[in-house]
Amino acid sequence: SREVSMVNTCRLLSWSLLIASSLINTISANEDEGSDDGFSVVTCGSVVKIMHVNTRFRLHSHDIKWGSGSGQQSVTAVSAMDDPNSYWIIKPAHGEQCPQGTPVRHGQTIRLAHLPTKRNLHSHRVDSPLSKQNEVSGFGEGGHGDHLDNWAVVAADGEGPLRRGRKFQLRHVE
């Protein structure tokens, strides 16, 4: 499968929620976005796949370290829809509370933990090995990390809870 570097050019990444569920079940992104199946609103504790709007690649990581830069776990994007390394868990911001089942809202700060490795989506002022922009990596052990794991959710329409299929951006909070 084709893989690309995660580029964090403006520290703002545009994504669309592909799959979300507060259970480990996965929900097809092709289902009616407005359906009232109990899984349309994205919540703390949801397991998600996140797709980049323009390329349709999914946010991806695996337990391989960058060979330069920070040496932390690599984060990239892949085209494969069935990739098991593209699942992320929505968690509260570092040091905050967000009980499972609480809707994620526009403007809220969250963390994304890579499901297979439990490392958090992270950014810092280390040059990316490929783009030379700020590196995006997986950081922390067992879900523990630091404040550089925090990302603000910016809904495309600027309001309300995040819903499956809704466009949004992740803005790194430093």
Side-chain angles (χ1 to χ4, degrees), residues 72-129:
Q72 293 174 355
Q73 181 173 304
S74 67
V75 173
T76 59
V78 295
S79 61
M81 293 188 324
D82 60 349
D83 180 62
N85 288 307
S86 296
Y87 287 103
W88 300 83
I89 304 167
I90 297 178
K91 297 176 68 175
H94 184 74
E96 300 292 324
Q97 298 282 327
C98 187
Q100 186 168 344
T102 302
V104 173
R105 302 185 96 40
H106 165 73
Q108 183 172 347
T109 300
I110 62 169
R111 285 181 299 158
L112 291 169
H114 185 238
L115 184 64
T117 65
K118 307 294 186 252
R119 290 193 180 98
N120 299 315
L121 186 67
H122 182 87
S123 188
H124 43 213
R125 295 188 187 275
V126 172
D127 285 350
S128 164

Side-chain angles (χ1 to χ4, degrees), residues 50-66:
I50 300 174
M51 181 177 65
H52 185 260
V53 173
N54 294 336
T55 64
R56 301 192 56 81
F57 279 46
R58 284 129 191 100
L59 187 63
H60 168 89
S61 190
H62 45 261
D63 198 9
I64 294 176
K65 308 294 189 260
W66 287 119

Side-chain angles (χ1 to χ4, degrees), residues 5-27:
S5 165
M6 171 60 72
V7 178
N8 191 8
T9 305
C10 297
R11 302 185 72 87
L12 193 65
L13 307 173
S14 297
W15 301 93
S16 173
L17 207 52
L18 180 65
I19 298 176
S21 171
S22 57
L23 305 172
I24 294 298
N25 302 342
T26 58
I27 308 301

Side-chain angles (χ1 to χ4, degrees), residues 124-135:
H124 43 213
R125 295 188 187 275
V126 172
D127 285 350
S128 164
L130 301 175
S131 73
K132 303 305 179 203
Q133 301 295 320
N134 288 339
E135 180 185 82

